[in-house]
């Protein structure tokens, strides 16, 4: 029988040679894209390769930033690398991400970021004007966040061995007295609050990467969250957990917290704020907004006696205007996140294997 592509007027056969599987086998003997996705593969790589090699009590917490004591001061310390493609997208760029991503990791310990380091890995052949645009965006984002770029480094790799520009930033900041924010502090009864609409950043990057049109311009939510966190801590220093749901989205963030604290999390699906344009785009693409990355949102676990006051304070801040209570921490099903559906049932919100959308942060 003749192949359908041999028929007159038939379209050419699609070329699948460059495709990669977004959910590789977990026993894969080589590194795959999913190992960088913030899901189960990433966790296994950290737990079975990096953590045993590095050791140390500080690393064992596996929080967004490490809380360390140095010279009598309690500091938060974090590092992150940024490999987003494309370098510029609606609402931001790799330069904005390089600042806000690290500032936000520090903020998730309650720290006010003070200084950043910045390393550029440049591919031979990239235009200097492109590098300048990235640097200008990075500098502007640092000034907006109130943080100084204090030191840095530049390396160049041969053409074909990079993707234009990669950036690594590390940051330090002071943790206020009386603040102890880490995933292990989640407790049954805690109220789970998200600071606003989810899934926006991932869909914004995908829209320009693939040249997709969703009938409306979707801009990244990339922003520095230090001011929002300071507003929350002004209400009470007793915030148990903060997390910015970047790679793996809200689902991964909640799953990591549940596993770290040995508690369950119950989310009301209809309470999770998903803007219509994101919901529509995800429906077309077969994505779940719960697993799509964000760059300007946080999820908080707050004791019930402080939840209303913290929520009001968040809603009074520009970056928390759409804050919402989405669920609670429970003693049942420890280490597991479940969502109550609109039909009255529940579904397990599992930690993703890799990530739905690679290279978005």
């Amino acid at each position: 029988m003749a192949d359908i592509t041999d028929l007159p007027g038939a379209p050419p056969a699609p070329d699948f040679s460059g495709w990669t599987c977004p959910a590789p086998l977990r026993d894969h003997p080589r590194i795959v894209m999913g190992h960088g996705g913030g899901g189960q593969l990433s966790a296994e790589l950290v737990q079975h390769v990096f953590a045993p090699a590095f050791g140390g009590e500080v690393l064992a917490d596996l929080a967004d930033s490490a809380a360390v004591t140095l010279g009598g001061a309690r500091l938060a310390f974090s590092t992150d690398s940024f490999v987003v493609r494309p370098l510029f997208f609606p609402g931001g760029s790799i330069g904005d991400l390089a600042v806000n991503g690290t500032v936000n990791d520090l903020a998730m310990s309650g720290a006010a970021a003070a200084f950043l380091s910045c390393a550029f890995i440049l591919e031979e052949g990239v235009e200097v004007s492109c590098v300048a645009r990235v640097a200008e965006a990075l500098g502007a984002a640092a000034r907006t966040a109130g943080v100084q770029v204090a030191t840095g480094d530049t390396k160049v790799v041969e053409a074909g061995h990079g993707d234009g520009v990669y950036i690594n930033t590390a940051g330090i900041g002071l943790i206020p007295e009386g603040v102890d924010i880490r995933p292990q502090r989640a407790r049954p009864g805690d109220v789970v609050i998200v600071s606003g609409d989810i899934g926006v950043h991932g869909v914004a990057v995908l829209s320009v990467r693939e040249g997709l049109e969703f009938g409306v311009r979707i801009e990244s939510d990339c922003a520095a969250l230090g001011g929002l966190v300071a507003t929350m801590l002004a209400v009470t220093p007793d915030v148990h957990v903060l997390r910015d749901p970047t790679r793996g989205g809200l689902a991964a963030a909640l799953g990591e917290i549940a596993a770290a604290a040995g508690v369950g999390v119950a989310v009301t699906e209809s309470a999770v704020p998903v803007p219509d344009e994101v919901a529509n785009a995800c429906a077309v693409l077969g994505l779940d907004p719960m697993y799509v990355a964000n760059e300007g949102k946080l999820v908080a676990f707050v004791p019930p006696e402080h939840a209303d006051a913290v929520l009001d304070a968040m809603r009074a801040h520009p970056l928390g205007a759409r804050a919402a209570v989405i669920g609670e921490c429970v003693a049942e099903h420890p280490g597991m996140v479940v969502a109550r559906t609109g039909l009255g049932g529940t579904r397990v919100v599992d930690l993703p294997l890799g990530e739905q959308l690679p290279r978005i942060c």
Side-chain angles (χ1 to χ4, degrees):
M1 177 180 288
D3 188 276
I4 189 171
T5 57
D6 295 330
L7 299 177
D15 179 12
F16 297 107
S17 60
W19 286 38
T20 58
C21 178
L25 296 176
R26 297 177 67 177
D27 60 352
H28 203 289
R30 299 180 185 273
I31 294 296
V32 293
M33 289 298 294
H35 282 111
Q40 295 180 36
L41 287 172
S42 292
E44 291 174 359
L45 191 64
V46 171
Q47 292 167 3
H48 300 301
V49 176
F50 298 134
F54 302 157
E57 295 181 3
V58 175
L59 181 64
D61 279 347
L62 296 179
D64 285 337
S65 59
V68 298
T69 300
L70 185 64
R74 192 157 173 258
L75 303 176
F77 178 38
S78 184
T79 186
D80 206 345
S81 299
F82 301 88
V83 295
V84 65
R85 180 172 57 86
L87 300 177
F88 302 92
F89 46 84
S93 70
I94 192 173
D96 300 282
L97 289 176
V99 171
N100 295 337
T102 296
V103 166
N104 291 348
D105 283 346
L106 297 174
M108 297 307 103
S109 292
F115 299 101
L116 295 181
S117 70
C118 176
F120 275 71
I121 297 90
L122 307 176
E123 183 182 13
E124 181 184 25
V126 67
E127 295 181 358
V128 174
S129 60
C130 175
V131 178
R133 284 182 64 196
V134 171
E136 289 167 3
L138 193 152
R143 289 187 290 273
T144 299
V147 64
Q148 293 186 50
V149 179
T151 187
D153 183 47
T154 304
K155 293 292 189 296
V156 177
V157 298
E158 296 89 346
H161 290 260
D163 198 8
V165 178
Y166 296 154
I167 301 176
N168 173 273
T169 50
I172 56 173
L174 283 170
I175 301 175
E177 186 176 352
V179 171
D180 182 16
I181 300 174
R182 48 194 171 88
Q184 291 79 7
R185 290 199 68 213
R187 297 288 183 271
D190 281 353
V191 177
V192 181
I193 303 173
V194 68
S195 64
D197 294 338
I198 68 165
V200 179
H201 173 73
V203 172
V205 173
L206 181 67
S207 68
V208 291
R209 178 189 298 173
E210 305 298 342
L212 302 174
E213 295 288 343
F214 299 117
V216 62
R217 178 179 171 86
I218 301 175
E219 294 197 355
S220 170
D221 58 351
C222 183
L225 297 171
L228 176 61
V229 171
T231 296
M232 298 166 65
L233 295 179
V235 174
T236 175
D238 190 27
V239 173
H240 286 172
V241 186
L242 292 173
R243 201 79 163 195
D244 59 334
T246 52
R247 294 178 306 167
L250 181 61
L254 295 176
E256 290 167 356
I257 294 167
V263 298
V265 178
V267 174
T268 300
E269 204 167 49
S270 61
V272 178
V274 181
D276 289 342
E277 57 269 27
V278 170
N280 293 338
C282 287
V284 169
L285 299 170
L287 305 177
D288 185 340
M290 290 277 286
Y291 292 91
V292 178
N294 313 270
E295 283 293 344
K297 299 297 185 297
L298 63 80
V299 59
F301 283 56
V302 182
E305 62 270 22
H306 301 305
D308 288 342
V310 169
L311 181 62
D312 289 343
M314 293 174 71
R315 288 175 172 171
H317 191 281
L319 296 179
R322 292 265 297 163
V325 172
I326 62 169
E328 61 183 336
C329 189
V330 297
E332 296 79 23
H333 49 80
M336 183 181 297
V337 181
V338 301
R340 303 184 182 106
T341 69
L343 298 176
T346 59
R347 66 179 180 95
V348 175
V349 181
D350 201 6
L351 194 66
L353 188 64
E355 65 183 329
Q356 295 181 118
L357 308 174
R359 301 287 304 280
I360 58 176
C361 58

